[in-house]
Amino acid sequence: MLKKQEAPVAQEQDRQPGSEAQMHPPPEYDPRYPGSRRLEGKVAIITGGDSGIGRATAVLFAREGARIGILYKNKTEEEDATKTAGLIGKEGGECFLLAGDVAKPAVARAFVDEALRKFGRLDVVVCGAAEQHFQPKFEEIPEEQIERTFETNVFGQFHVIQAALPHLEKGASIICVTSVTAYRGQPVLLDYSSTKGAILALVRALAANLASKGIRVNGVAPGPIWTPLIPASFPEDKVKNFGKSSPLGRPGQPNEVAPSLLFLACEDSSYMSGQVLHPNGGDPVGG
């Protein structure tokens, strides 16, 4: 039986992408079931793997036998990243951490190069790093914010995938994290919603482009999930009520999303490409 989940309390953080260590209550990242070694011998790299969905995915992948590379933004996320590395170690897994801005092509190349240097191969690419900014008035979105949100959310995925592709072989998996906002929109996250729509199109186009090589490309479109981005993006009153409007009446937890990424990473999904999974609390939007 699932334990009763604590509701978010009113809180704000003053920087992106936010600190998991400062959240109340803390997000749930522990895998819920014993592993079955579905990623035994595989190497996965995860952008934004220090916290939120990325952390839950990294720990679950480690439980399933993968060695992990994690890219996090900068020193302010170091506490979260170090904790995630420790959690991977408790699963008996190996990992490396790299700090850098995913929007910079040189960082993406360095991330891939470090995975190859450390582990000698690359099998799974998870593009999860993102930022979002609360702004209800479209005409007041600063140009710098629009550019930055697209650089992180869209260009970052392009850079990492481009760096990884020469090293991926038949059977490899690329997973792009999009969002329910790509389908439904979000009137106070206008630039973010637009980037997630672009990622959805990337999944479908790149899947067709790489099908002949046997490299699968899929996506995950979470609904309202309790991650550091939420208190780092929304005012306190919005945070307190976050997720209550979903059909299940609550926000989801990162460890309720990570199994979707595991499924797409492993051979259980060998006949799926160009698809998107929807761990969104019952929202009928999607397809």
Side-chain angles (χ1 to χ4, degrees):
M1 177 180 291
L2 295 179
K3 67 180 181 180
K4 181 176 176 58
Q5 296 182 350
E6 295 181 66
V9 299
Q11 60 198 278
E12 285 187 52
Q13 296 185 21
D14 60 3
R15 58 178 174 80
Q16 291 266 344
S19 167
E20 188 151 328
Q22 297 177 22
M23 294 177 69
H24 306 287
E28 297 177 16
Y29 51 76
D30 285 326
R32 291 176 170 174
Y33 298 98
S36 55
R37 314 309 289 179
R38 282 183 284 177
L39 295 177
E40 189 72 51
K42 303 292 187 182
V43 172
I45 57 173
I46 304 172
T47 67
D50 56 302
S51 63
I53 294 168
R55 171 186 283 178
T57 299
V59 177
L60 180 59
F61 280 16
R63 178 168 291 192
E64 292 289 343
R67 292 171 288 174
I68 312 291
I70 289 174
L71 181 67
Y72 64 100
K73 188 175 181 181
N74 54 38
K75 191 172 180 62
T76 59
E77 278 70 57
E78 191 170 310
E79 180 181 3
D80 283 345
T82 300
K83 179 172 180 176
T84 301
L87 294 167
I88 290 170
K90 288 180 180 179
E91 298 291 341
E94 296 179 68
C95 81
F96 72 87
L97 304 174
L98 182 69
D101 186 349
V102 72
K104 299 184 184 302
V107 170
R109 291 192 294 268
F111 188 35
V112 170
D113 289 346
E114 182 65 9
L116 296 170
R117 186 190 71 79
K118 189 85 172 176
F119 300 131
R121 61 184 293 163
L122 185 56
D123 304 282
V124 181
V125 177
V126 176
C127 296
E131 64 179 86
Q132 64 182 22
H133 304 276
F134 178 86
Q135 176 52 266
K137 294 185 177 181
F138 182 79
E139 67 274 19
E140 293 184 6
I141 301 175
E143 180 180 351
E144 306 79 45
Q145 176 184 307
I146 298 169
E147 291 175 350
R148 180 63 204 175
T149 304
F150 271 84
E151 285 171 351
T152 300
N153 298 6
V154 181
F155 296 176
Q157 296 207 13
F158 270 81
H159 298 328
V160 171
I161 295 169
Q162 285 180 326
L165 264 179
H167 311 287
L168 298 179
E169 298 182 357
K170 183 177 180 180
S173 174
I174 298 169
I175 306 168
C176 302
V177 179
T178 176
S179 168
V180 68
T181 65
Y183 298 86
R184 179 174 293 288
Q186 222 298 0
V188 297
L189 298 174
L190 292 145
D191 47 343
Y192 174 83
S193 300
S194 300
T195 64
K196 292 302 182 175
I199 293 166
L200 173 61
L202 172 62
V203 166
R204 291 171 171 167
L206 189 59
N209 182 273
L210 297 179
S212 64
K213 297 181 179 180
I215 298 171
R216 298 181 298 107
V217 184
N218 292 289
V220 176
I225 308 300
W226 185 232
T227 74
L229 268 182
I230 304 311
S233 305
F234 292 102
E236 287 188 7
D237 62 319
K238 298 290 185 183
V239 173
K240 184 177 181 179
N241 294 303
F242 179 70
K244 289 183 179 179
S245 63
S246 73
L248 290 183
R250 63 170 178 85
Q253 293 292 335
N255 64 0
E256 294 179 297
V257 179
S260 292
L261 285 96
L262 172 61
F263 172 70
L264 295 174
C266 75
E267 292 184 9
D268 288 351
S269 60
S270 58
Y271 198 53
M272 290 184 66
S273 196
Q275 307 304 308
V276 178
L277 301 183
H278 298 269
N280 64 21
D283 193 324
V285 72

